[in-house]
Each structure stands twice: as structure tokens, then as C-alpha cells.
Amino acid sequence: MDPRIAVVPGSFDPPTLGHLDVIRRAAWLFDQLHVLVVHNPGKEAMLPIAQRQSLLEQSIREAGIEGDVVVAAWSMGLLVDYATDVGAKVLVKGIRSQVDVAYETPMAIVNRDLAHVETVFLLPDPSHALVSSSLVRQVAGLGGDVSPYVPAAVARFLDTGARDL
């Protein structure tokens, strides 16, 4: 039997506890999970991709997330190209609201059409349902405490003044 491989893509700018919740549950569902930090041309990033990747690796390790989890970055080409390259047949997306469903559905259909890659939506734990990276960036940028919303590694990093990057 072929291993069940999935990709959890996102900008992760910065990683949140909601992201970790989705990663933990997806790691339990699949034999191998690729957490993929992607460049979103529609957003101005607070953190460089390499920093987001490093923070994710540290956060996953500190959270004790078990399984075969690979953290990688992808900034050129289609997401389904990465999925195909690693043998993934599934993309996992966390959705918080109807707005996320409306945004993600057309992409899921196109990804299936382009590469026969299915998309699975995971609902967040209710305690994380209203937190987005955008909200965290805004709070951090104004000097607020983001520790209730992000992994400890991210909170430590942002607390050092790195939010001024």
C-alpha cells in the first residue's frame, strides 16, 4: 500500500496555535505530512520565508507533534507541482469560517483538475477559530501580547523585537 502523503500549505506569517492544531491532527491522519511555507503574492510578509520555516520546525518540535512531518518552503510554481513532486494526493487546509470556505473552494477545484490532488478541510479547535496570522501581525506590530495566540517559539521570537523586520 502506498503511503498516505499530504501537504499543509500556508503563509504561516507567523505560525499560530490554530496552525499547530491543524498540523497535529493532519499528522495523525497521514503517514507523511509536508508543512509547506508558501509565498503569497497577495500579502506583504512580516517574516522572511526562512524564518517562518524555522519557527514552524521549532514550534512543531516543542509541541511534541508526532509523525513523519517535513517542513519545507516553496516560492515558485504551483502548489500542486510540489504535491506531485513529493507524492502527495491531498492538500489539508484549515478553515475558520464561511469566508475561508468561499476562498478555498475554487482553489480546491482547480487543484483537483490540474493534478488530481484532493483538498481536505479541517475545522479548528473552537479556541483558535477567530485567530488569524493577520490579526497576530497587527497585535504584534502595535506592541501587544500575542502569546495566547502563537506557539511559545513564535512568542519568544516576536518578543525580542524581531517584529520590526
Side-chain angles (χ1 to χ4, degrees), residues 59-145:
S59 297
I60 289 167
R61 187 174 52 256
E62 289 179 4
I65 294 175
E66 296 180 7
D68 187 357
V69 179
V70 176
V71 180
W74 185 258
S75 59
M76 299 297 293
L78 297 171
L79 173 59
V80 292
D81 292 339
Y82 178 89
T84 301
D85 288 350
V86 299
K89 295 182 178 19
V90 176
L91 300 175
V92 177
K93 302 280 192 98
I95 55 169
R96 297 175 309 247
S97 69
Q98 300 266 350
V99 173
D100 287 346
V101 173
Y103 177 79
E104 295 290 349
T105 298
M107 288 189 290
I109 292 167
V110 169
N111 288 334
R112 184 177 55 212
D113 288 347
L114 288 174
H116 306 289
V117 174
E118 291 292 338
T119 300
V120 172
F121 296 130
L122 290 181
L123 298 173
D125 183 279
S127 64
H128 307 302
L130 300 178
V131 177
S132 67
S133 291
S134 299
L135 180 62
V136 170
R137 284 194 306 274
Q138 188 174 33
V139 171
L142 295 171
D145 179 17

Side-chain angles (χ1 to χ4, degrees), residues 17 127-128 131 145-151 155:
L17 292 174
S127 64
H128 307 302
V131 177
D145 179 17
V146 296
S147 61
Y149 314 114
V150 298

